[in-house]
Amino acid sequence: MPVLVYAESSEGKFKKVALEATSYGKKVAQQLKDSLVVLTINCDNPSELNTYGADKIVTVSSNKNNSDAKFVANSIQQTAQKENASVIIIDSSANGLSIAPIVAIKLNAGYASNVVALPNSTSPLIVKRKSFSNKAFNHTEISTPVKIIGLAKNSFGLIESNTEASIEEFSPIIVNSSLSSVSIEKSSGTVSIADAEIVVSGGRGLKGPENWGLIEDLAAVLGAATACSKPVSDMGWRPHGEHVGQTGKPVSSSLYIAIGISGAIQHLAGINASKVKVVINTDPEAPFFKAADYGIVGDAFEVVPKLIEKLKLFKAQNA
Amino acid sequence: MKILVCISHVPDTTSKINFTDNNATFDPTGVQFVINPYDEFALTRAMWFKEKQGASVTVINVGNASTEPTLRKSLAIGADEAIRVNAEATDGFFVAKQIAEVAKNGNYDLILAGKESIDYNGGMVPGMIASILDYDVVTACIGLEIDGSSATIIREIDGGKETLSGSLPLVIGGQKGLVEEKDLRIPNMRGIMTARKKPLTVVESIAFQNTTTSTNFEKPVPKGACTMITSDNVDELVSLLHEEAKVI
Ligand SMILES: Cc1cc2nc3c(=O)[nH]c(=O)nc-3n(C[C@H](O)[C@H](O)[C@H](O)COP(=O)(O)OP(=O)(O)OC[C@H]3O[C@@H](n4cnc5c(N)ncnc54)[C@H](O)[C@@H]3O)c2cc1C
Ligand SMILES: Nc1ncnc2c1ncn2[C@@H]1O[C@H](COP(=O)(O)O)[C@@H](O)[C@H]1O
């Protein structure tokens, strides 16, 4: 029984999480010695999935939008039934997170979200997932015949494996939702925290919103997203969408640079999943240094401009 | 309008997390439990609907008797009544089944939950409740207005936000934005006193086999020491990030 991945696209293009889920799905299919079927909806170039190991691609074209959770969940359900899939993998984009629970109910399938690694065992199927806001991992056994894995962002990466997938068009039975999209407002220009490889984050140590040019300039050199600690967004120095931590957005970037952030337990809980952490803080006793990989004890207003300058030089030399 | 608010009972955000039984069980010793922060936003929004639009507010938890102080706190904040489904909450699917069962009998127009519990981090209960009841659902919700039976909902999406229109009944998974931090309420003495007299009904759970089981927990590997770089040597940070960490 094959593995089914739902690979989400936006405006016709695959999101990175979709390719990551496909890479992951390929490995799970190999563990199970079975094939990988990938479902795409309203996607311009499904054959891109050949690079990540799809054996079969099911395409759905519809005038309904990919952000309609009910429609997507029904498409996944019907594809899973048609293909007789035993394991379904759904990425953790904002849409993926709202779709997976619906599919679980429709298929009577056990669902583990926030999964960070390949199954430790396939029979029984046991996966490792984040719990207690990154303060621990939990190993969960999924015991239903059909199983759903929600893959945490940036936890597996992209792994190429070339295949020649067959492509099949599919027209699922459409179920209407009472919800309709009125408008979408994109945060202007900058990289979003969810997608970012690098996140530059500022805390109360920056003293005021007027100093955020430092954070923005550093982010610009690195192609990074900007973020902040909770008090910074509470005081209105920065928009709420930038608040990261246990009660804000989770960050699982490859590099997280924290400037003027003390490293409170609630802040660390949300950013612990980032691979490499750099801290710049005047106080050598700041708890963040205990959680960091690289640290500079120093004044942000002196260190950050120097860092920007050195990085510009580095970028110029390595362009 | 009848509102049901789902309240998850979780360790306070400052808690250190420990396990017993060879890492099989969470150790609650010394841990203070609170209303899940996202649920607190949902409850506060429900209070607004109560005060401004005459809604009635019921809070519900699936848990054993130890969760009752958290339900009492929700009553002290202003909910009208509380329901505890008497069961060990170990699987999101199981919890959703129980809440959907209560909701079916109660004819709620709006079911408010948090986007996730900060202990188990499932993020699944609201979507599952909706799917069982065949209602629509919006999670990561940062704005909600109700006018008669129509709703305007704002949700966070990757890199922005989306405004949706819909109609009741609905299930919402909320977070900050639904109300602001400053709107959160600390129960006052009067609230605490009246909460004692408000109904807290215990109902038995319906039979349902768990779909997932926690086998054991694991603490993240302790980090190696932080490499310190002096502030006049920023160059070194750039080369370490490039050559050693390979992130730039
Ligand atoms: C229920 C709850 C949930 C919470 N959730 C979150 C959450 O999700 N995310 C979050 O971030 N917080 C959260 N918090 C808040 C958290 O406890 C801390 O209060 C917060 O993270 C501190 O923010 P900060 O580090 O910016 O500020 P501070 O703790 O004030 O730290 C400022 C730091 O800047 C340093 N500094 C000062 N001047 C300079 C300078 N010139 N150059 C460099 N460094 C300098 C100081 O040494 C200090 O370490 C939560 C709290 C509660 C109670
Ligand atoms: N045991 C429970 N009792 C009542 N509500 C719950 C319970 N567990 C989860 N919820 C609700 O569902 C939301 C999402 O939880 P979860 O799917 O566990 O991350 C929470 O924010 C609560 O509103």
Side-chain angles (χ1 to χ4, degrees), chain A residues 95 113-114 132-133 135 137-139 141 143 178 180-183 185 230 240 266 293-295 306 310, chain B residues 13 119 121-122 136 155 159 161-163 165 180-181 211 213-216 218 223 227 229 231 235 244:
Chain A
N95 288 332
S113 60
N114 277 318
F132 293 100
S133 309
K135 291 177 196 165
F137 295 105
N138 175 243
H139 297 270
E141 176 182 336
S143 42
S178 84
S180 57
S181 181
V182 177
S183 64
E185 195 182 308
K230 180 166 170 292
H240 280 313
Q266 296 97 348
D293 301 280
Y294 301 100
K306 276 198 262 178
K310 299 292 179 195
Chain B
T13 56
D119 54 353
N121 301 116
D136 282 307
R155 70 163 183 147
K161 52 189 180 182
E162 179 179 32
T163 305
S165 71
E180 291 312 323
E181 199 100 13
T211 59
T213 327
S214 159
T215 57
N216 63 300
E218 177 187 329
K223 264 201 27 54
T227 305
I229 297 141
S231 60
D235 255 348
E244 187 178 87

Side-chain angles (χ1 to χ4, degrees), chain A:
Chain A
M1 296 206 286
V3 170
L4 174 66
V5 167
Y6 168 58
E8 194 190 351
S9 56
S10 164
E11 288 163 6
K13 296 202 175 46
F14 285 117
K15 294 189 172 173
K16 187 185 157 206
V17 283
L19 303 177
E20 186 176 25
T22 307
S23 308
Y24 178 88
K26 181 65 180 180
K27 292 285 176 205
V28 176
Q30 285 167 347
Q31 284 184 337
L32 293 167
K33 302 196 174 46
D34 218 311
S35 61
L36 172 65
V37 180
V38 186
L39 168 68
T40 72
I41 299 178
N42 295 335
C43 169
D44 298 337
N45 187 15
S47 54
E48 195 182 338
L49 296 170
N50 281 325
T51 316
Y52 300 97
D55 297 304
K56 176 174 180 180
I57 301 168
V58 176
T59 62
V60 170
S61 307
S62 169
N63 55 5
K64 290 220 173 254
N65 198 291
N66 292 12
S67 64
D68 179 337
K70 211 176 201 173
F71 156 64
V72 176
N74 274 287
S75 304
I76 298 174
Q77 173 209 347
Q78 292 172 46
T79 308
Q81 284 167 333
K82 176 172 86 70
E83 299 292 331
N84 205 12
S86 59
V87 176
I88 301 169
I89 294 156
I90 297 178
D91 68 45
S92 47
S93 64
N95 288 332
L97 293 173
S98 50
I99 291 160
I102 304 178
V103 182
I105 296 297
K106 301 257 174 243
L107 292 170
N108 233 324
Y111 164 46
S113 60
N114 277 318
V115 170
V116 293
L118 283 172
N120 329 8
S121 110
T122 50
S123 173
L125 189 85
I126 299 179
V127 288
K128 177 174 169 176
R129 54 186 305 282
K130 295 188 213 178
S131 68
F132 293 100
S133 309
N134 290 317
K135 291 177 196 165
F137 295 105
N138 175 243
H139 297 270
T140 300
E141 176 182 336
I142 311 179
S143 42
T144 42
V146 180
K147 303 164 176 72
I148 303 180
I149 297 177
L151 183 66
K153 222 168 275 181
N154 286 335
S155 57
F156 193 69
L158 302 185
I159 296 177
E160 298 195 358
S161 90
N162 289 311
T163 40
E164 290 262 336
S166 58
I167 299 192
E168 181 184 298
E169 275 181 46
F170 177 53
S171 308
I173 302 159
I174 304 281
V175 181
N176 282 319
S177 145
S178 84
L179 295 168
S180 57
S181 181
V182 177
S183 64
I184 288 183
E185 195 182 308
K186 289 270 173 195
S187 357
S188 58
T190 53
V191 191
S192 80
I193 294 171
D195 298 330
E197 285 291 323
I198 304 180
V199 174
V200 177
S201 190
R204 200 142 59 179
L206 281 152
K207 312 281 190 273
E210 66 282 4
N211 298 323
W212 239 262
L214 271 182
I215 300 289
E216 281 167 351
D217 289 350
L218 179 56
V221 197
L222 290 165
T226 53
C228 67
S229 68
K230 180 166 170 292
V232 165
S233 73
D234 287 348
M235 290 181 295
W237 296 359
R238 298 297 288 177
H240 280 313
E242 282 200 2
H243 154 203
V244 298
Q246 183 163 12
T247 53
K249 282 213 176 70
V251 179
S252 53
S253 54
S254 56
L255 173 61
Y256 182 75
I257 304 181
I259 301 166
I261 302 178
S262 56
I265 190 164
Q266 296 97 348
H267 186 84
L268 297 179
I271 62 94
N272 261 339
S274 286
K275 293 209 179 67
V276 175
K277 285 153 265 195
V278 174
V279 172
I280 299 170
N281 196 307
T282 39
D283 175 9
E285 300 297 321
F288 216 139
F289 286 112
K290 292 207 178 62
D293 301 280
Y294 301 100
I296 296 183
V297 175
D299 185 343
F301 299 100
E302 286 164 25
V303 176
V304 178
K306 276 198 262 178
L307 183 58
I308 293 171
E309 184 195 319
K310 299 292 179 195
L311 281 167
K312 278 190 181 150
L313 212 63
F314 167 81
K315 291 277 169 187
Q317 283 161 359
N318 289 271

